[in-house]
Amino acid sequence: MKSRSDEVRAVGRPPPKPLIYICSPLKGDIKRNIEKANYYARYAYSQGYIPLAPHTIFTQFLDDKNPKERKDGMAMGLELLEHCAELWVCGTTVSKGMRTEINYARKK
């Protein structure tokens, strides 16, 4: 049974917006692929979601060409995926990194 304070809090707060994991290619034309990921994130935002596109964030301080940093970036992305309501696969290409994210989401 809810207490009176729980009921007041529930009325006074909007429902949380779902976190959406944006899964799209990075390798190849990295600059263009980041622009596309930002476009997909913007679309998710426009639909009322909170988008996460880790590959657009982590590449700001990690070198995707460095195997250790790429592995660390993938691990951090999967950790974020744990907190997301959905994974959205965007674009027409499914990269090896995307396949890892998709398989991880399917298991969860």
Side-chain angles (χ1 to χ4, degrees), residues 9-21:
R9 204 172 26 233
V11 171
R13 290 183 125 175
K17 294 180 181 182
L19 292 172
I20 302 299
Y21 191 101

Side-chain angles (χ1 to χ4, degrees), residues 19-91:
L19 292 172
I20 302 299
Y21 191 101
I22 303 299
C23 178
S24 65
L26 177 66
K27 285 190 174 187
D29 187 347
I30 292 175
K31 182 179 178 187
R32 179 74 178 126
N33 287 338
I34 288 174
E35 289 172 358
K36 287 179 182 180
N38 288 335
Y39 172 82
Y40 305 139
R42 177 76 184 185
Y43 174 76
Y45 160 77
S46 74
Q47 299 302 304
Y49 299 102
I50 299 173
L52 289 174
H55 56 302
T56 66
I57 301 165
F58 298 153
T59 54
Q60 299 297 306
F61 60 89
L62 294 176
D63 182 356
D64 195 56
K65 294 176 184 161
N66 176 315
K68 181 188 180 322
E69 292 189 9
R70 176 171 174 72
K71 181 181 174 186
D72 290 345
M74 286 294 300
M76 290 188 296
L78 296 178
E79 180 66 31
L80 287 174
L81 182 52
E82 288 280 337
H83 304 280
C84 293
E86 297 177 7
L87 175 137
W88 288 7
V89 178
C90 303

